[in-house]
């Protein structure tokens, strides 16, 4: 167990420095292999036929014409995959039911959204595969569909699942519903708290579905041999997840599937589940050839998992001197076609930055005829923060208190009873607020039509399971093997922690990400957990090796192991035994064959003691009074990273999360027509920020070390997407006087709000 | 029918013959930035693509004897910006063409393609309309000259018959500004997009002006994009500018005329009310920039 | 439709290939020539991951037909370094952590090189607009813009 106390004063050799990442060279030379870059001899191409209806019973599928085409090697439908019983997955991000997952990968009785997979083919070229899709005849009985969470709750709404009864309500409902579940969480008496308040703000907020927008579409190459063994090359946030999910969906043993992780071209939570992988394995089995499948961008938008559209009703109150007394929220999150929105996380995070006398949040998970949502960076939290942080801004304004000062007055801190259960341990909420307040940005003058907004954000961060092995080569260099895809520099941070442990140059450490057959089970790259949890596993594995190195040195010297310590890259005798020169890692490695054989260490653990993360963002906007166009002109992110192992990649997470949040606030949205077809399934009309949309994004890393991590690490990846929406919206309010309660703040919406205020 | 799928003829005549033989199953490939994207999305699948970039007349820019310009229909946006005389005379047209897509798109996208794609939101078209540009259309019956505003007839539709293609655009001569007492001219194009780049215009406005030596506007043309089924020439907005020094009242009147002329739809990119309102704003702003470029008191 | 024979030059080397008449340059680079450094993010010219130089102009290779490059000169990310010596842009991207997942990096390098070849001293604003056709979802662009500006300074001999 890696439970070493953090020595806050300790000077580190590598931690906190900025070496070039070990995988970087291949990435700037175009040599790194991503999901779509793999090819095998004899490989053929798979493609998916997708439903043209938002809700339809599949009466029949005739694949005979497609099968008869020259060059077509396999056609599959749901009938080629086993029927899966309802069972909750133990791994992955967010609740996953294997029966739902199976039905999402390929529709069985019903197509539940436009773009839902109904059949797949594999052919010698992708052009032939495309023609084969067009030759498949599907008879649909079109059913009434429901696209909005509000409509889905109406008494006469079309029901997506006849066996779905709302969980979490008493008495147990007797009629099926599109409301999959109700959850609630709180502390104290919310209504009593609201009754005490001098100011109560009541607001209703709406947000649209948004996509993670990773630039790399989903891609896979799979083989399934006559012996029933499969090999899968895929980019994902977790190859062990792919192995487990494919085994379950295809009725295979996990030992029959080897998943080799490709480089991953962005995920942000969107690659925490399977879409193509089970189909590629099934097609390969039927065709007897390796099968490659790559989604088009349109398929990525239509048929993978965006973040939920939401409706949030919020009441918050404070005394006239600015003490938050009560809060109540009702959160409705669309899950898409199957239950499992992140509303549970939203209910938990909603009020976390604040110490409120009484608060209650109710969450509703609602199914609609749209693609099933997936995790997206701090799943569920940004929409909830939009509501809370803009209402906090309004309360501060009512009280005449500076918005950061208001937050400081009400900030949760070490020992505060959280609404979601535990008392907060050491957290950096106060420290980030203070740093934001002290930043020159916060007091800089503003120009005409400009306004400044601030907002706080919170995220739990993840622990979960990780494994690592550490191998010593006989030249004294180190290979660190772990099982988490590197999505943004984690190889660098793992190598740096190993170099720090051994006291050697980081260049002597080779961090590798191994396939499912080589390294122990590792949960997803997600939940901001890799540098934290996999870092712990690496540190433990290093310490396992260092223990062995000390033993080898002791045996070489003929002294007790307790008399040998490891420091600065060498074993040293602690009792000052005369003439015992320190033995370096290289010295010991060279003698390994004669002192007990190769030296390697391993660790597998469930990481405990997650360090929760807080962030404060400051945003300046300029609003064109005649067109409603909002430009972000200055932006500063302040975040508690615990300790930044490689500060450049911590800053990168802060900047990237801010940019995604700004896009969510200003322009990104899924637009559907009345038939449930997404109207903007491309980067042209799904408007993610481009380089000229953004200013430099300033970063302030606050370090309140997490006492339970050997280097004080807190997860850093997710919390930066939590404050941007309210920071932007509060800034627009400051610039224009309008408070906009529906996203995105597109120019037509902003201009309409400004005109309404002017008239 | 030509079964090759791709041809790169060297002459206009060959192109016309290929188009005629294909009888509607062929598409002209200039920059391809709309056509190949549409093919990728499964919106069209022409049997034959006729690459016209190797035809000298379509791939060149030249100043004509009268001081105007002849711009080949397949010249890419980046090449327009490299032609110093064109940039000096018609900055509004060049900036409109340069707004289309990214630098990557600018390496390919052409005025001919932008026009023949038939989009009501095509950025270069309102600027060309404002300039009074015509295009030369070649076909089986020879060539004809058509005002740019008459080419697009409906979204995705043009007046080109089977066998016809746009060869070039003709821009009239401009007063060169060498004599401080003589007339001067300026043009400008502005568009509203939600981002700063890489979007389709929600509204586009092109304005071209001529001022006399006293700074009074003697001629004006206004083109609007994305506010109707086709790009519009808005004579009422132009009339509000002619005879004035583009004082605030004249600019406001031109803006109101532009808003009144707009007949937009609600769609995923914008609303009717927004488009009408912003059509006026952009017309006003574009007129001020054109005025400044003409040396007026902008 | 018969496959076409195309002779061209890629990264300075003569190359011949067969392609379908409507196959894109991107697909031929990746699937026929195994030059997988050029990435596909959208296939419709909206993300810039497939940026290449064609006869000295920056284009999206997803929006060019392979048949069009007969007799032309194509340069891809694989041709940016001189042998084993990285281009300053590649070095600055590495040293300044201008990549996270790295999928957009080849396109950014090709587009940034095109910018600096034509404009050795761009402003931050010019860099941002010149690279607006390259989407990055990880970095928020900050470190990319800085790396390009620092590369430009080095190439001018100022760093």
């Amino acid at each position: 167990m890696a439970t070493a106390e953090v020595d806050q004063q300790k000077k580190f050799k590598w931690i906190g420095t900025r070496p070039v990442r070990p995988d970087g060279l291949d990435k700037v030379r175009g040599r790194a292999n991503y999901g779509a870059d793999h090819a095998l001899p004899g490989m053929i191409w798979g493609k998916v036929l997708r439903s043209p209806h938002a809700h339809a019973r599949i009466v029949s599928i005739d694949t005979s014409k497609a099968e008869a085409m020259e060059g077509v090697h396999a056609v599959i439908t749901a009938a080629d995959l086993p029927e899966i019983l309802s069972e909750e997955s133990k791994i992955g991000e967010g609740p996953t039911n294997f029966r739902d997952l199976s039905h999402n990968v390929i529709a069985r009785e019903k197509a539940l959204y436009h773009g839902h997979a109904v059949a797949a083919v594999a052919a010698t070229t992708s052009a032939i595969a495309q023609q084969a899709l067009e030759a498949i005849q599907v008879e649909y009985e079109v059913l009434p569909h429901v696209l909005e969470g509000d409509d889905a709750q109406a008494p006469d709404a079309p029901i997506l699942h006849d066996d779905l009864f709302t969980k979490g309500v008493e008495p147990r409902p007797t009629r099926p519903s599109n409301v999959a579940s109700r959850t609630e969480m709180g502390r104290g008496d919310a209504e009593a708290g609201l009754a005490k308040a001098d100011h109560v703000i009541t607001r209703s907020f709406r947000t649209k579905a948004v996509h993670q927008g990773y630039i790399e579409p989903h891609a896979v190459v799979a083989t399934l041999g006559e012996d029933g063994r499969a090999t899968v090359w895929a980019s994902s946030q977790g190859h062990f997840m792919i192995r487990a999910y494919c085994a379950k969906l295809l009725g295979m043993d996990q030992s029959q599937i080897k998943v080799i992780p490709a480089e991953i071209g962005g995920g942000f939570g969107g690659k925490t589940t399977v879409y193509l992988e089970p189909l590629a394995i099934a097609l390969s089995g039927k065709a007897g050839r390796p099968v490659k499948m790559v989604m088009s961008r349109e398929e990525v938008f239509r048929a993978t998992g965006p973040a939920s559209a939401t409706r949030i009703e919020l009441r918050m109150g404070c005394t006239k001197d600015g003490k938050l007394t009560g809060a109540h929220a009702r959160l409705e999150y669309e899950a898409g076609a199957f239950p499992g929105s992140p509303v549970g996380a939203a209910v938990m995070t909603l009020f976390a930055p604040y110490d409120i006398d009484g608060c209650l949040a109710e969450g509703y998970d609602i199914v609609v005829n749209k693609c099933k949502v997936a995790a997206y960076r701090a799943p569920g939290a940004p929409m909830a923060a939009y509501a809370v942080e803009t209402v906090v801004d309004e309360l501060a304004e009512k009280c005449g208190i500076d918005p950061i000062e208001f937050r400081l007055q009400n900030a949760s801190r070490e020992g505060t009873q959280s609404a979601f259960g535990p008392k907060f341990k050491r957290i950096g909420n106060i420290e980030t607020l203070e740093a934001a307040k002290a930043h020159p940005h916060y007091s800089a003058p503003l120009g005409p039509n400009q306004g400044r907004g601030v907002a706080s954000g919170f995220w739990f961060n993840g622990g979960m399971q990780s494994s690592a092995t550490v191998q010593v080569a006989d030249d004294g260099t180190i290979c660190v093997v772990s099982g988490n895809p590197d999505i943004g520099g984690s190889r660098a941070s793992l190598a740096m922690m190993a170099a720090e442990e051994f006291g050697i140059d980081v260049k002597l450490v080779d961090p590798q990400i191994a396939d499912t057959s080589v390294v122990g089970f590792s949960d997803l790259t997600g939940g901001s957990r890799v540098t934290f949890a996999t870092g712990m596993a690496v540190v433990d594995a290093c310490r396992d090796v260092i223990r062995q190195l000390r033993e080898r040195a002791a045996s070489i010297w003929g002294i007790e192991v307790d008399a040998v310590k490891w420091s600065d890259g060498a074993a040293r005798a602690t009792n000052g035994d005369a003439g015992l020169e320190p033995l370096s890692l290289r010295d010991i490695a060279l003698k390994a064959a004669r002192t007990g054989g190769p030296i390697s260490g391993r660790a597998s653990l469930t990481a405990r003691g997650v360090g929760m993360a807080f962030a404060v963002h400051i945003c300046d906007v300029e609003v064109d009074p005649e067109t409603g166009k909002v430009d972000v002109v200055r932006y500063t992110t302040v975040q508690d990273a615990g300790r930044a192992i490689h500060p450049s990649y911590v800053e990168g997470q802060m900047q990237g999360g801010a940019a995604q949040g700004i896009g969510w606030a200003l322009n990104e949205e899924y637009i559907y027509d009345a038939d449930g077809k997404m109207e903007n399934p491309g980067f042209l009309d799904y408007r993610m920020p481009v380089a000229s949309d953004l200013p430099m994004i300033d970063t302030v890393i606050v370090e309140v070390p997490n006492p339970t991590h050997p280097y004080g690490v807190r997860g850093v990846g997710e919390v930066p997407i939590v404050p941007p929406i309210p920071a932007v919206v509060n800034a627009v309010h400051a610039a224009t006087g309008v408070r906009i309660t529906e996203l995105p703040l597109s120019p037509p919406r902003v201009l309409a709000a400004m005109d309404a205020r002017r008239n | 029918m030509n079964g090759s799928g791709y041809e790169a003829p060297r002459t206009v005549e060959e192109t016309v013959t290929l188009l005629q033989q294909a009888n509607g199953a062929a598409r002209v490939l200039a920059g391809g930035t709309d056509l190949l994207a549409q093919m990728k999305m499964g919106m069209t699948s022409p049997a034959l693509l006729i690459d016209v970039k190797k035809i000298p007349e379509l791939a060149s820019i030249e100043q004509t004897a009268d001081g105007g310009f002849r711009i080949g229909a397949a010249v890419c946006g980046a090449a327009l910006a490299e032609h110093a005389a064109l940039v000096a005379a018609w900055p509004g047209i060049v900036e409109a063409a340069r707004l289309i897509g990214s630098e990557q798109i600018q390496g390919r996208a052409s005025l001919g393609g932008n026009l023949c794609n038939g989009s009501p939101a095509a950025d270069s078209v309102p600027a060309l309309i404002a300039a009074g540009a015509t295009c030369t259309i070649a076909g089986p019956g020879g060539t004809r000259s058509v005002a740019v505003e008459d080419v697009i007839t409906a979204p995705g539709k043009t007046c080109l018959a089977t066998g016809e293609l746009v060869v070039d655009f003709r821009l009239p001569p401009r007063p060169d500004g060498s004599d401080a007492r003589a007339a001067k001219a300026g043009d400008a194009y502005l568009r509203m997009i939600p981002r700063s780049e890489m979007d389709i215009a929600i509204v586009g406005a092109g304005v071209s002006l001529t001022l006399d030596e006293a700074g009074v506007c003697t001629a004006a043309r206004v083109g609007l994009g994305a506010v109707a089924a086709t790009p519009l020439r808005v004579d009422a907005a132009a009339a509000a500018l002619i005879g004035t020094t583009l004082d605030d009242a004249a600019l406001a009147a031109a803006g109101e005329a532009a808003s009144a002329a707009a007949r937009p739809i609600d769609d995923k990119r914008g609303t009717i009310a927004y488009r009408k309102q912003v059509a006026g704003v952009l017309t006003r702003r574009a007129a001020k920039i054109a005025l400044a470029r003409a040396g007026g008191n902008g | 439709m018969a496959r076409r024979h195309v002779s061209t030059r890629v990264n300075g080397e003569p190359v011949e290939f067969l392609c379908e008449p409507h196959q894109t340059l991107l697909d031929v680079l990746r699937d026929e020539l195994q030059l997988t450094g050029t990435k596909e993010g959208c296939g419709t010219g909206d993300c810039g991951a497939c940026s290449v130089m064609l006869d000295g102009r920056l284009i999206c290779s997803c929006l060019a037909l392979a048949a069009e490059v007969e007799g032309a000169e194509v340069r891809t990310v694989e041709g940016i370094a001189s042998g084993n010596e990285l281009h300053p842009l590649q070095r600055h991207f590495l040293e300044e952590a201008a990549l996270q997942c790295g999928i957009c990096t080849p396109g950014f390098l090709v587009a940034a090189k095109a910018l600096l070849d034509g404009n050795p001293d761009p402003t931050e604003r010019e860099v941002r607009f010149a690279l607006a056709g390259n989407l990055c979802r990880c970095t928020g662009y900050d470190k990319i813009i800085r790396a390009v500006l620092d590369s430009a300074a080095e190439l001018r001999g100022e760093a």
Side-chain angles (χ1 to χ4, degrees):
Chain A
M1 280 287 290
T3 50
E5 287 300 306
V6 182
D7 179 353
Q8 300 223 21
Q9 305 309 317
K10 187 177 174 191
K11 286 273 182 285
F12 294 115
K13 188 164 186 224
W14 295 105
I15 305 300
T17 66
R18 301 175 186 243
V20 166
R21 62 194 284 174
D23 53 316
L25 182 64
D26 282 350
K27 288 177 176 163
V28 298
R29 296 210 60 161
R31 295 193 296 233
N33 277 294
Y34 292 82
D37 297 339
H38 194 66
L40 288 173
M43 186 178 81
I44 58 175
W45 294 79
K47 276 189 181 287
V48 175
L49 182 69
R50 298 185 180 278
S51 169
H53 305 294
H55 196 190
R57 193 169 307 286
I58 298 170
V59 179
S60 65
I61 305 178
D62 181 354
T63 60
S64 57
K65 283 193 182 130
E67 282 163 354
M69 288 170 64
E70 187 169 1
V72 172
H73 289 264
V75 182
I76 59 167
T77 67
D80 293 278
L81 271 62
E83 286 225 42
I84 306 295
L85 298 176
S86 180
E87 180 193 348
E88 296 300 323
S89 164
K90 299 286 188 296
I91 68 161
E93 182 151 347
T96 296
N97 181 295
F98 282 123
R99 185 187 58 178
D100 292 346
L101 183 64
S102 165
H103 289 186
N104 195 37
V105 165
I106 192 160
R108 200 162 278 270
E109 289 90 15
K110 290 206 294 184
L112 290 161
Y113 55 95
H114 181 277
H116 197 166
V118 295
V121 304
T124 45
T125 69
S126 68
I128 295 172
Q130 182 61 42
Q131 289 160 18
L133 291 185
E134 289 158 20
I136 297 173
Q137 292 168 312
V138 185
E139 188 186 339
Y140 293 101
E141 177 195 343
V142 178
L143 302 170
H145 60 268
V146 61
L147 298 174
E148 303 285 338
D150 307 357
D151 300 336
Q153 298 174 67
D156 58 346
I159 293 293
L160 272 71
H161 304 283
D162 291 335
D163 58 350
L164 182 63
F165 297 86
T166 309
K167 284 185 193 151
V169 293
E170 293 295 335
R172 187 179 181 278
T174 54
R175 289 181 50 199
S177 167
N178 293 324
V179 180
S181 67
R182 178 188 182 282
T183 51
E184 69 167 51
M185 199 156 281
R187 58 171 267 207
D189 185 335
E191 292 307 325
L194 285 161
K196 280 195 299 206
D198 299 309
H199 304 294
V200 175
I201 303 287
T202 303
R203 295 255 179 234
S204 179
F205 298 86
R206 282 176 184 276
T207 71
K208 297 281 177 57
V210 295
H211 201 273
Q212 299 84 357
Y214 35 81
I215 308 300
E216 180 204 32
H218 299 253
V220 60
V221 176
T223 64
L224 175 58
E226 297 81 355
D227 59 357
R229 305 183 79 85
T231 305
V232 179
W233 291 259
S235 70
S236 78
Q237 288 176 248
H239 38 301
F240 289 92
M241 172 277 298
I242 292 182
R243 184 180 72 171
Y245 283 8
C246 287
K248 186 61 85 171
L249 266 48
L250 297 167
M252 298 170 70
D253 296 329
Q254 292 196 35
S255 62
Q256 292 177 301
I257 303 174
K258 175 160 93 170
V259 185
I260 301 171
E263 294 301 323
I264 172 169
F268 313 106
K271 291 177 183 164
T272 56
T273 188
V274 292
Y275 299 101
L276 299 176
E277 295 84 353
L279 301 178
I281 295 172
L283 284 168
S284 177
K286 208 160 174 177
R289 304 268 290 264
V291 172
K292 180 169 186 168
M293 301 181 82
V294 182
M295 280 197 195
S296 68
R297 179 55 51 183
E298 183 177 354
E299 287 180 292
V300 172
F301 274 114
R302 291 197 195 287
T304 66
S308 295
T310 69
R311 191 179 74 167
I312 298 172
E313 285 167 14
L314 177 65
R315 286 179 291 142
M316 282 184 91
C318 67
T319 60
K320 56 181 180 295
D321 52 355
K323 171 74 189 87
L324 287 170
T325 55
H328 180 273
R330 177 190 166 93
L331 303 95
E332 299 175 1
Y333 276 46
E334 288 178 11
F338 300 96
S341 77
V343 72
V347 161
M348 291 168 74
T349 64
L350 186 66
F351 300 121
Y354 302 106
D355 185 355
I356 309 174
D357 298 345
C359 60
L360 179 68
E362 301 171 60
Y364 296 84
D365 183 34
I366 301 168
V367 295
V368 292
N369 291 113
K370 297 197 278 203
C371 48
K372 166 72 169 71
V373 303
Y376 179 17
R377 207 168 195 160
M383 314 78 139
Y386 170 33
V388 168
E389 292 295 313
T390 56
V391 167
V392 163
D393 194 65
E394 202 169 349
L395 287 169
E397 187 185 39
K398 280 224 184 296
C399 297
I401 300 174
D402 169 85
I404 292 185
E405 197 53 47
F406 186 93
R407 285 173 171 81
L408 277 166
Q409 282 183 24
N410 291 285
S412 51
R413 61 191 74 210
E414 189 170 0
T416 300
Q417 173 63 51
S418 75
F420 57 86
K423 282 190 173 158
F424 283 111
K425 299 201 174 84
R426 187 80 183 88
I427 54 173
N429 194 14
I430 302 278
E431 288 83 349
T432 51
L433 284 162
E434 296 281 10
K437 199 171 135 193
H439 194 280
H441 180 178
Y442 195 59
S443 48
L446 288 163
N449 300 313
Q450 294 185 351
R452 177 167 300 141
V454 295
S456 289
F458 163 79
W459 187 247
F460 312 99
N461 293 325
M464 304 197 275
Q465 304 173 83
S466 284
S467 298
T469 62
V470 171
Q471 294 147 15
V472 183
D474 68 5
D475 62 357
T477 60
I478 297 290
C479 183
V480 171
V481 183
S482 64
N484 282 106
D486 178 353
I487 207 160
S490 59
R491 283 186 186 90
S493 62
L494 298 180
M496 290 165 72
M497 285 187 269
E500 197 71 51
E501 287 293 317
F502 286 111
I504 60 173
D505 192 306
V506 73
K507 290 199 184 76
L508 302 179
V509 181
D510 175 29
Q512 292 288 334
I513 297 157
D515 70 56
T516 51
S517 66
V518 174
V519 68
F521 178 84
S522 298
D523 269 309
L524 291 164
T525 293
S528 307
R529 61 174 288 280
V530 174
T531 300
F532 170 74
T534 308
M536 274 184 166
V538 167
V539 168
D540 274 11
C542 289
R543 291 178 185 182
D544 182 5
V545 169
I546 289 168
R547 179 187 52 77
Q548 296 172 53
L549 292 168
R550 287 170 50 232
E551 286 170 2
R552 301 295 175 101
S555 83
I556 291 165
W557 284 329
I559 63 176
E560 290 297 315
V561 67
D562 290 345
V564 180
K565 69 166 185 176
W566 187 267
S567 69
D568 283 336
R572 298 165 202 276
T574 52
N575 298 338
D577 289 280
L580 293 181
E581 285 295 309
L583 286 166
S584 70
L585 185 51
R586 182 182 162 84
D587 297 334
I588 299 169
L590 273 169
K591 295 188 169 75
R594 282 171 283 133
T595 57
I599 303 168
S600 66
R602 57 166 293 281
S604 286
L605 51 77
T606 296
R608 310 272 181 212
V610 160
M612 295 179 181
F614 287 85
V616 179
H617 291 194
I618 310 169
C619 173
D620 292 357
V621 300
E622 183 169 324
V623 184
D624 185 329
E626 291 190 310
T627 65
K629 184 171 188 301
V630 177
D631 287 319
V632 175
V633 295
R634 187 169 180 183
Y635 203 96
T636 301
T637 65
V638 183
Q639 182 175 323
D640 175 17
R643 180 167 279 117
I645 301 298
H646 191 308
S648 294
Y649 290 104
V650 174
E651 293 162 3
Q653 291 295 321
M654 294 162 72
Q655 293 163 332
Q660 283 185 315
I662 291 167
W664 196 337
L666 292 182
N667 284 310
E668 294 180 34
E669 60 177 319
Y670 266 57
I671 303 172
Y672 285 92
D673 70 11
D675 295 328
K677 182 179 178 187
M678 186 190 182
E679 288 192 278
N680 57 336
F683 284 142
L684 182 62
D685 285 311
Y686 182 85
R687 301 184 182 101
M688 308 195 322
V690 300
S692 49
D693 290 333
L694 296 172
M696 291 297 186
I697 297 172
D698 202 358
T699 56
V700 178
I701 299 173
V702 174
E703 294 192 319
V704 179
N706 172 10
T708 48
H709 187 275
Y711 292 103
V713 168
R714 296 176 193 272
V716 297
E718 286 168 294
V719 76
I721 203 174
V722 182
I725 298 171
V728 170
V729 174
N730 289 339
V732 168
H733 169 256
T736 65
V738 299
R739 289 200 183 271
I740 299 178
T741 55
E742 184 169 357
L743 298 184
L745 269 57
S746 57
R749 177 167 287 135
V750 173
L751 187 64
M754 290 168 75
D755 282 345
R757 182 168 184 271
R758 285 189 282 240
N759 298 331
Chain B
M1 174 67 209
N2 182 309
S4 71
Y6 172 83
E7 292 291 339
R10 304 285 164 154
T11 67
V12 171
E13 293 68 32
E14 275 179 81
T15 310
V16 169
T17 304
L18 286 165
L19 283 166
Q20 270 185 293
Q21 287 169 349
N23 194 25
R27 289 285 297 272
V28 171
L29 175 71
T33 55
D34 283 313
L35 180 56
L36 296 185
Q38 288 161 6
M39 288 170 65
K40 173 81 179 181
M41 299 286 280
M43 293 155 66
T44 180
S45 50
L48 174 64
L49 295 174
I50 306 173
D51 182 357
V52 295
K53 291 187 290 296
K54 295 185 168 64
I55 304 170
E57 302 97 292
L58 276 88
S60 56
I61 306 173
E62 59 196 338
Q63 199 143 15
T64 49
D66 64 356
F69 289 87
R70 196 195 66 77
I71 304 172
V75 173
C76 71
L80 296 180
E82 289 161 7
H83 197 287
L86 178 68
V87 173
W90 293 101
I93 288 177
V94 175
E95 76 191 346
R98 293 285 285 157
L99 284 174
I100 300 165
S102 58
E103 285 299 309
Q104 287 85 340
I105 299 299
Q106 286 290 311
R108 303 279 288 175
S110 64
L111 294 180
N114 198 222
L115 181 64
C116 293
N117 186 48
S119 167
D123 281 307
S124 68
V125 177
L128 288 166
I129 290 173
T134 60
C135 58
T136 310
I137 295 174
T143 62
R144 60 191 177 117
S145 176
V146 178
V148 167
E149 57 266 40
D150 295 333
V151 174
I152 300 175
T153 55
K157 300 254 185 295
T158 68
C159 70
L160 271 67
T162 300
E164 287 190 322
L165 77 155
V166 175
V167 174
D168 62 33
F169 293 83
R170 305 285 177 139
L171 303 180
R174 294 295 247 179
D176 64 5
S178 56
D179 179 349
R181 289 160 300 172
K184 291 178 190 165
D187 72 331
Y189 175 78
L190 289 175
R191 68 172 182 184
M192 177 61 216
I193 53 171
R195 292 184 289 185
S196 57
E197 268 283 3
M198 300 301 291
D199 271 336
I200 305 293
I202 305 179
V203 180
V207 175
S208 175
L209 306 167
T210 306
L211 306 180
D212 67 14
E213 63 275 22
V216 175
C217 177
T218 56
R221 287 170 63 97
V222 175
L224 289 181
V227 295
T230 66
L232 299 178
R233 192 184 84 207
V234 186
D235 292 344
L241 300 173
I242 294 169
T244 75
T245 56
L246 273 68
D247 53 284
D248 287 351
L251 289 170
E256 281 164 27
S259 291
R263 336 181 266 280
I265 56 167
D266 280 327
D267 69 9
K268 64 187 173 188
R269 297 185 179 125
T271 61
I272 291 171
Y274 185 78
R275 285 184 155 124
K276 284 183 78 80
Q277 190 171 347
V278 172
V281 173
L282 295 191
T283 298
R284 204 160 21 83
R285 291 181 179 179
K288 285 186 83 158
I289 296 169
L291 176 67
R293 285 175 179 166
N297 303 316
Chain C
M1 285 182 273
R3 282 159 72 88
R4 298 180 67 90
H5 176 264
V6 175
S7 300
T8 187
R9 294 179 76 82
V10 179
N11 297 327
E13 301 276 335
V15 168
E16 293 180 52
F17 58 80
L18 290 174
C19 66
E20 302 290 334
H22 295 179
Q23 203 170 2
T24 63
L25 175 58
L26 172 62
D27 284 348
V28 165
L29 288 172
R30 291 179 53 80
D31 298 334
E32 310 293 332
L33 304 179
Q34 282 75 52
L35 290 168
T36 54
T38 305
K39 307 298 181 189
E40 176 167 340
C42 69
T44 51
D46 301 313
C47 78
C50 68
S51 296
V52 301
M53 300 300 287
L54 174 58
D55 285 338
R57 287 212 189 277
L58 177 67
I59 68 161
C60 285
S61 59
C62 72
L63 293 184
L65 297 180
E68 293 184 68
V69 306
E70 172 68 39
E73 169 78 39
V74 178
R75 299 200 79 92
T76 70
V77 67
E78 287 91 346
I80 286 185
S82 308
N84 287 330
E85 190 179 341
L86 295 183
H87 187 277
L89 279 163
Q90 292 172 308
R91 203 155 24 73
H92 281 279
F93 267 57
L94 286 179
E95 289 167 358
E96 300 183 42
L99 57 145
Q100 283 177 32
C101 82
I103 193 85
C104 70
T105 306
F108 267 100
L109 289 168
V110 171
K113 182 170 185 299
L115 167 67
L116 298 189
D117 286 348
N119 179 0
D121 192 9
T123 64
E124 180 195 332
R125 183 181 159 82
E126 285 171 337
V127 175
R128 287 187 179 277
F129 275 88
L131 299 179
N134 292 81
L135 286 175
C136 170
R137 193 62 157 171
C138 293
T139 64
Y141 303 106
D142 185 301
K143 294 186 191 302
I144 293 174
I145 304 300
R146 290 178 200 275
V148 173
L149 289 168
D150 291 344
S151 302
E154 181 184 322
L155 286 162
R156 292 194 305 272
E158 293 169 18

